Amino acid sequence: MKAIVKISIGLVLAATGGNTYAQDVPMSQKIAATVMKVWPADTAATTGKPFKRWGYDEGVILKGVEGVWLQTADRTYFKYIQQSMDNLLNADGTAMAGYKSDDYTLDNILCGRNLLMLYNVTGLKKYYTAATILRDQLKTQPRNTVGGFWHKKRYPNQMWLDGLYMAESFYAEYAAEFHDEAAFDDIAKQYILMEKYARDAKTGLLYHGWDESKKEKWANPQTGLSANLWARADGWYAMALVDVLDYLPENHPQRPAIIAILNRLATAIQNSQDPKTGVWYDILDKPTGKGNYLEASASSMFVYALAKGVRNGYLPESFLQTADKGYKGILTQFIETEASGQVNLKGTVSVSGLGGQPYRDGSYEYYLSEKVVTNDPKGTGAFLQAAVEMERLTHRDLGKGKTVILDSYFNDEHKKDITGATVSYHYKWDEEDNNGFSFFANAFHNYGVKTTTLYQGPTTANLKTGNIYIITDPDIPKENPDTKYIEAPHIAAISDWVKAGGVLIVLNNDTGNAEFTHLNQLLAKFGIHDNEDSRNHVVTPHFETGAINIPATDAIFKTAKKVYIKEISTFGVKPPATADLIDNKDIIVATAKYGKGAVFVVGDPWFYNEYTDGRKLPADYDNYKAANDVIRWALKQIQDK
């Protein structure tokens, strides 16, 4: 037997005031390495067991791996997700291994979230096709008389907490992506129904299942509820709540109700936390019950939901203490390291359900009879997501309460998407393909900064809503027939805002691909002139012709040492501007202190996904680090004022 050595990781307070766990390699990356070994994407692998049938296990795992990719910009993680999904799809996405829509099981919907990500990043239609098959299942999914989805066709009239995570987060993401606004009423209703019928008034927790017909042997004949408060069921529901809020429109009438449900459940979770270990028991309300045990998957789900709920402003800051204690408890109770260095998660119950064959009666004894295993995908996937969320808190206090505004007035291109709808695109926060800023946005969020978009011209009033304002690649007529130029009133509003303490970031482009005349009128206020030239021409894959080496003494780029930046315009400067980054006598980056504020200018949109998500550039380029360096620099300018 391999020697098992417990990890010992101390809780520390980061200098910024945020909570984190001090490690040379983040725990999320250690667990991701285990995931890729235990469930390899290579179907010919001689070790491990690749996923071979469509189900929810891989959905939980791959969502966690996606989080690690977003944090690291390491292509290894993206390739793992894509290959894992491709193993289960045919060439055009019209069939999924083992999937049958007329089984009507909500468990089979979860991987649709992975499909949507792959479609948004790659644009490959097969992922959209497969995701739409899953969406179409929901159109005819059987429902009970109040409109709730049956968990499965073979479980008539039953709603399970599990189903909210398996189906509703995908349902909401698909609706948001493809303009199905009417679906949000139905989505919100599923959450509201679940709490209405399954909530225990005494503890605030929810029972695993509700049978509207009250005919099942496991169902209470008066309420239709299952008999026990099973932790992972509440964990699925908690994760589902924080995930659906990513997509439920801000102005949706039921959004406050969903946030209120989350807060009630979070309080119940907090109250059921084991005070000694910080984690949670398999049956939440019977901690001293015979045979009850501390359980890893539910503990991970609760930490994820609480940490994300606080980070996104859905829960009060006080819940971070519960999440922090829970995460520390998971590391102590469930994480083990083999002599080989592989990190494992023990303590996950392999499965628990209701009904079926052989029949599961939902009794206390039943739940405790199920096998507890190491490296179960549900537990490992949930822990991976929890670890990412906790690691995201490391630098959150640097920008907490601050807002970055992205211009979508001077850069206002549109296209038709796959549904035929006209959408805004090109350097937008939520765009996940090469041209988007989704990685840049994720980095801002890691520092606690809220991202917003300005679709009107900048004014004194609307600039006051933000601390950082980004102008990217102003349009020219060949890109946008309705080109809007930077005019004198805009210049006055922007320069006054900077003087008062705002930070302006300009990510322009090279000659022929951007507007210079009006932009230079703005930059002149700060002593900067864009030279309307173009250098660093690159013919792929000759990346070295786009390389810029950064001196160790650079005032902005503290972690990035080598970056890729092609077809860029250069600058001239005079006071108050200075040259920050010079290459072969050309000014690549210029900055200026102006009143209480500051300006940063580079001649390329630079921080878009093609350069920051790690899928294209060789690993020795530090573009994602450079984006983080600029964010930290901008936040320091705000603090210094």
Side-chain angles (χ1 to χ4, degrees), residues 4 64 67 131 209 211 256 295 316 337 378 475 492 521 580 586 589 609 639:
I4 301 293
D211 173 20
E295 204 279 329
T337 300
K378 296 173 287 296
D475 291 338
Q521 292 171 14
D580 177 81
D586 289 332
V589 172
N609 294 336
Q639 293 163 356

Side-chain angles (χ1 to χ4, degrees), residues 69 118 126 162 214 285 287 319 328 345 352 431 499 507:
W69 175 49
L118 289 170
K126 68 176 181 178
D162 317 32
K214 305 173 185 175
D285 62 331
F319 283 103
K328 184 180 181 182
L345 181 81
S352 292
E431 275 186 288
K499 184 180 291 185
L507 309 175

Side-chain angles (χ1 to χ4, degrees), residues 344-390:
N344 301 318
L345 181 81
K346 64 179 184 177
T348 297
V349 60
S350 59
V351 66
S352 292
L354 298 166
Q357 294 294 332
Y359 197 82
R360 299 166 294 185
D361 65 3
S363 65
Y364 179 81
E365 293 73 18
Y366 158 70
Y367 281 109
L368 297 184
S369 71
E370 292 287 9
K371 187 184 299 184
V372 178
V373 299
T374 295
N375 292 341
D376 177 89
K378 296 173 287 296
T380 306
F383 176 67
L384 190 50
Q385 295 186 53
V388 168
E389 275 300 326
M390 293 303 295

Side-chain angles (χ1 to χ4, degrees), residues 293-353:
Y293 57 87
L294 302 171
E295 204 279 329
S297 66
S299 298
S300 299
M301 292 171 178
F302 293 151
V303 168
Y304 169 82
L306 295 175
K308 182 175 179 179
V310 172
R311 181 173 61 80
N312 285 341
Y314 312 141
L315 293 174
E317 291 283 324
S318 58
F319 283 103
L320 270 189
Q321 183 176 356
T322 305
D324 194 63
K325 183 176 181 179
Y327 189 59
K328 184 180 181 182
I330 294 169
L331 296 178
T332 301
Q333 297 294 321
F334 304 124
I335 292 293
E336 293 180 335
T337 300
E338 297 181 8
S340 66
Q342 178 175 312
V343 178
N344 301 318
L345 181 81
K346 64 179 184 177
T348 297
V349 60
S350 59
V351 66
S352 292

Side-chain angles (χ1 to χ4, degrees), residues 531 533-536 548 568-572 579-589:
N531 291 327
D533 56 355
S534 182
R535 57 158 281 181
N536 278 30
I548 300 286
I568 51 176
S569 56
T570 64
F571 300 97
D580 177 81
L581 181 60
I582 298 175
D583 183 74
N584 291 330
K585 299 183 179 181
D586 289 332
I587 299 174
I588 307 300
V589 172

Side-chain angles (χ1 to χ4, degrees), residues 1-24:
M1 293 180 65
K2 294 180 179 178
I4 301 293
V5 183
K6 276 195 173 183
I7 280 184
S8 176
I9 299 174
L11 177 65
V12 299
L13 294 178
T16 59
N19 291 336
T20 186
Y21 287 79
Q23 307 160 60
D24 293 334

Side-chain angles (χ1 to χ4, degrees), residues 168-405:
E168 305 309 323
S169 299
F170 163 78
Y171 191 6
E173 188 172 351
Y174 190 99
E177 182 69 26
F178 303 116
H179 326 296
D180 187 9
E181 287 78 10
F184 288 112
D185 293 342
D186 186 36
I187 292 163
K189 179 170 68 175
Q190 304 300 316
Y191 289 86
I192 292 168
L193 287 173
M194 200 75 249
E195 194 207 34
K196 177 180 179 181
Y197 290 101
R199 187 172 187 263
D200 174 53
K202 181 180 178 181
T203 64
L205 298 163
L206 276 69
Y207 288 96
H208 187 180
W210 171 57
D211 173 20
E212 185 189 39
S213 72
K214 305 173 185 175
K215 294 179 180 179
E216 285 294 323
K217 294 177 184 178
W218 56 257
N220 181 297
Q222 282 75 47
T223 65
L225 289 170
S226 56
N228 284 281
L229 296 165
W230 179 47
R232 189 157 74 218
D234 279 80
W236 289 129
Y237 189 61
M239 292 178 79
L241 284 163
V242 293
D243 284 359
V244 80
L245 286 165
D246 290 342
Y247 306 102
L248 191 65
E250 291 286 341
N251 62 352
H252 191 276
Q254 295 297 353
R255 186 176 175 88
I258 301 302
I259 292 175
I261 291 172
L262 173 62
N263 276 264
R264 287 191 289 271
L265 180 60
T267 299
I269 290 168
Q270 185 178 61
N271 291 339
S272 61
Q273 185 177 33
D274 179 47
K276 182 179 179 180
T277 65
V279 292
W280 287 263
Y281 280 88
D282 189 54
I283 303 300
L284 289 167
D285 62 331
K286 296 180 174 67
T288 61
K290 183 179 179 180
N292 203 1
Y293 57 87
L294 302 171
E295 204 279 329
S297 66
S299 298
S300 299
M301 292 171 178
F302 293 151
V303 168
Y304 169 82
L306 295 175
K308 182 175 179 179
V310 172
R311 181 173 61 80
N312 285 341
Y314 312 141
L315 293 174
E317 291 283 324
S318 58
F319 283 103
L320 270 189
Q321 183 176 356
T322 305
D324 194 63
K325 183 176 181 179
Y327 189 59
K328 184 180 181 182
I330 294 169
L331 296 178
T332 301
Q333 297 294 321
F334 304 124
I335 292 293
E336 293 180 335
T337 300
E338 297 181 8
S340 66
Q342 178 175 312
V343 178
N344 301 318
L345 181 81
K346 64 179 184 177
T348 297
V349 60
S350 59
V351 66
S352 292
L354 298 166
Q357 294 294 332
Y359 197 82
R360 299 166 294 185
D361 65 3
S363 65
Y364 179 81
E365 293 73 18
Y366 158 70
Y367 281 109
L368 297 184
S369 71
E370 292 287 9
K371 187 184 299 184
V372 178
V373 299
T374 295
N375 292 341
D376 177 89
K378 296 173 287 296
T380 306
F383 176 67
L384 190 50
Q385 295 186 53
V388 168
E389 275 300 326
M390 293 303 295
E391 289 161 11
R392 295 190 72 175
L393 299 175
T394 304
H395 303 295
R396 174 173 170 263
D397 285 357
L398 281 177
K400 188 169 65 176
K402 304 298 190 292
T403 298
V404 55
I405 303 170

